[in-house]
């Protein structure tokens, strides 16, 4: 039976997608260099330990496992690091993705789902942000993802590669069964850091409280990681049914967000409500590369692919993250 290759499948969002694919009956093969991912996140799914830039290994994986579609999560993800070390980001995220696409073209695999990001939009000129919003990334991370989206358009037209790019807003929460969750080292994201602060760790630094928002802190659209995973299943299903010759349809782009913005302070209060603990905070300077407000219009993916988030409240999302961190204080290490 043909399989789906999930690059970065040992990572946070990738591992939730693997679980959702398997629950829907797909055979899955993971390709991950384990630089940030965790073997334990993959369970007994077949894991090929390789980098996407390792073309012989990727081509062998595509051939050996009869891969019919690729979901590509393997990438570097820190906005801040991308600003200080863009070379590493272009190498991994752009060169890595192009190497993967070239391997797919060479092996005749023509369905591709890209893990993209709302960082492609940069500072918003209108909210909510729909897919027609101008793309103008203000950090190298967003720029690397946009570069791959652009390549997909041309690979689609020239080589018949059909793709869906999913522009995630802020991935959050953990698997409801408690089997997998977020475990980054170092952890840079707001919700796990706020949880760590509630659990007695260092106070949470609030990166900027003088933004042009209601409470002065940045607003983001937090979407549950299992909802992101279900978005990938919808994207794959769309690629499996529509063999279109329309040049504009060969590479499609969708936002994946809930459409509701929450400020950093609102997240802090949600963690306090869910945990029953207080979250100590410290004011800190703005983080380079942070837009003030990012939240999605999810109309296109709702209308075209029928996707709806199952988690519609911030507290419900934070609750799954809280339970993961309570039961896995050392992440996948225990
Ligand atoms: N943030 C913060 N303190 C932290 C981590 C994040 O104030 O320790 C803020 C950050 O400036 C941004 C929001 O929380 O406005 C979400 O940041 P995160 O790193 O979770 O996701 P990003 O928006 O960068 O994808």
């Amino acid at each position: 039976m043909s399989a789906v290759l999930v690059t970065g499948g040992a990572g946070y969002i990738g591992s939730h997608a693997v679980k959702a694919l398997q629950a829907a009956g797909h055979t899955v093969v993971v390709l991950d260099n384990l630089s940030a991912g965790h073997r334990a996140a993959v369970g007994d799914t077949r894991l090929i330990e390789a980098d996407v830039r390792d073309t012989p290994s990727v081509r062998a994986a595509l051939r050996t496992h009869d891969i019919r579609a690729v979901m590509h999560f393997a990438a570097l993800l820190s906005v801040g690091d991308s600003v200080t070390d863009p070379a590493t980001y272009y190498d991994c995220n752009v060169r890595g993705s192009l190497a993967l696409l070239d391997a797919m073209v060479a092996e005749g695999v023509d369905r591709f789902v890209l893990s993209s990001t709302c960082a492609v939009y940069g500072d918003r000129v209108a909210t909510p942000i729909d897919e027609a919003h101008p793309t103008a990334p203000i950090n190298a991370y967003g720029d690397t993802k946009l570069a791959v989206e652009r390549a997909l358009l041309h690979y689609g037209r020239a080589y018949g590669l059909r793709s869906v790019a999913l522009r995630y807003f802020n991935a959050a929460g953990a698997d409801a069964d408690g089997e997998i969750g977020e475990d980054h080292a170092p952890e840079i994201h707001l919700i796990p850091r706020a949880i760590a602060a509630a659990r007695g760790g260092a106070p949470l630094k609030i990166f900027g409280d003088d933004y042009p928002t209601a409470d002065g802190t940045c607003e983001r659209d937090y979407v549950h990681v299992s909802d992101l995973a279900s978005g990938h299943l919808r994207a794959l299903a769309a690629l499996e049914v529509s063999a279109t010759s329309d040049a504009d349809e060969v590479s499609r782009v969708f936002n994946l967000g809930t459409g509701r913005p929450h400020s950093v302070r609102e997240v802090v209060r949600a963690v306090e409500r869910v945990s029953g603990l207080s979250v100590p905070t410290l004011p800190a300077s703005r983080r380079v590369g942070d837009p003030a407000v990012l939240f999605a219009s999810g109309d296109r993916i709702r209308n075209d692919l029928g996707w709806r988030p199952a988690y519609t409240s911030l507290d419900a999302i934070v609750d799954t993250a809280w339970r993961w961190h309570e039961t896995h204080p050392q992440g996948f290490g225990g």
Side-chain angles (χ1 to χ4, degrees):
M1 197 166 107
S2 72
V4 178
L5 184 73
V6 180
T7 75
Y12 172 43
I13 306 173
S15 61
H16 287 78
V18 169
K19 187 168 175 179
L21 280 164
Q22 289 172 329
H26 296 276
T27 302
V28 178
V29 176
V30 169
L31 186 132
D32 197 304
N33 67 6
L34 298 183
S35 65
H38 304 274
R39 195 177 288 278
V42 172
D44 52 15
T45 305
R46 176 163 217 115
L47 169 67
I48 298 165
E49 198 176 332
D51 191 286
V52 287
R53 290 161 289 192
D54 172 359
T55 296
S57 295
V58 172
R59 287 190 61 170
L62 295 173
R63 244 191 337 267
T64 312
H65 298 288
D66 190 18
I67 300 297
R68 70 176 192 286
V70 175
M71 288 190 183
H72 180 38
F73 296 91
L76 297 174
L77 52 75
S78 159
V79 166
D81 289 350
S82 81
V83 174
T84 54
D85 184 14
T88 300
Y89 273 68
Y90 281 92
D91 190 60
C92 178
N93 293 5
V94 179
R95 190 167 73 82
S97 297
L98 294 182
L100 174 62
L101 293 177
D102 290 343
M104 290 176 63
V105 171
E107 296 295 338
V109 180
D110 66 354
R111 301 178 184 109
F112 186 76
V113 184
L114 174 69
S115 181
S116 189
T117 170
C118 62
V120 299
Y121 296 116
D123 264 324
R124 100 278 189 212
V125 296
T127 45
I129 296 173
D130 66 18
E131 292 83 352
H133 187 285
T135 47
I138 61 168
N139 51 61
Y141 169 69
D143 214 50
T144 61
K145 293 288 186 170
L146 185 59
V148 181
E149 285 191 11
R150 301 288 311 163
L152 287 174
L153 176 67
H154 298 291
Y155 274 57
R157 288 175 178 166
Y159 310 130
L161 185 109
R162 292 183 299 119
S163 64
V164 173
L166 297 173
R167 293 176 174 166
Y168 314 156
F169 284 65
N170 285 60
D175 168 45
D177 300 340
E179 290 175 350
I180 46 180
E182 190 167 13
D183 181 3
H184 295 119
E187 185 51 77
I188 59 169
H189 292 113
L190 177 62
I191 292 175
R193 279 190 170 181
I195 288 173
R199 291 171 47 83
L204 175 76
K205 289 185 182 162
I206 297 194
F207 295 148
D209 58 8
D210 57 351
Y211 282 96
T213 58
D215 68 17
T217 64
C218 285
E219 295 179 356
R220 295 286 182 275
D221 182 338
Y222 295 90
V223 53
H224 195 275
V225 63
S226 298
D227 285 329
L228 291 181
S230 74
H232 285 74
L233 260 67
R234 297 268 174 174
L236 179 64
L239 289 171
E240 313 254 52
V241 293
S242 71
T244 172
S245 57
D246 181 340
D248 291 328
E249 284 287 301
V250 292
S251 66
R252 302 171 78 186
V253 171
F254 296 97
N255 285 338
L256 262 182
T258 65
R260 288 182 314 275
H262 293 287
S263 73
V264 173
R265 287 198 202 288
E266 284 176 326
V267 169
V268 167
R269 284 197 293 274
V271 170
E272 291 183 330
R273 275 193 300 274
V274 164
S275 67
L277 300 169
S278 73
V279 175
T281 62
L282 280 178
S285 47
R286 291 182 177 195
R287 192 173 62 177
V288 180
D290 263 346
V293 177
L294 288 172
F295 72 101
S297 160
D299 290 352
R300 183 184 285 182
I301 194 161
R302 281 183 172 74
N303 295 338
D304 291 9
L305 302 189
W307 176 83
R308 302 263 184 295
Y311 290 83
T312 53
S313 89
L314 181 61
D315 283 23
I317 293 171
V318 168
D319 183 59
T320 61
W322 172 255
R323 282 190 281 120
W324 162 255
H325 290 285
E326 274 284 277
T327 52
H328 298 79
Q330 309 300 323
F332 285 100

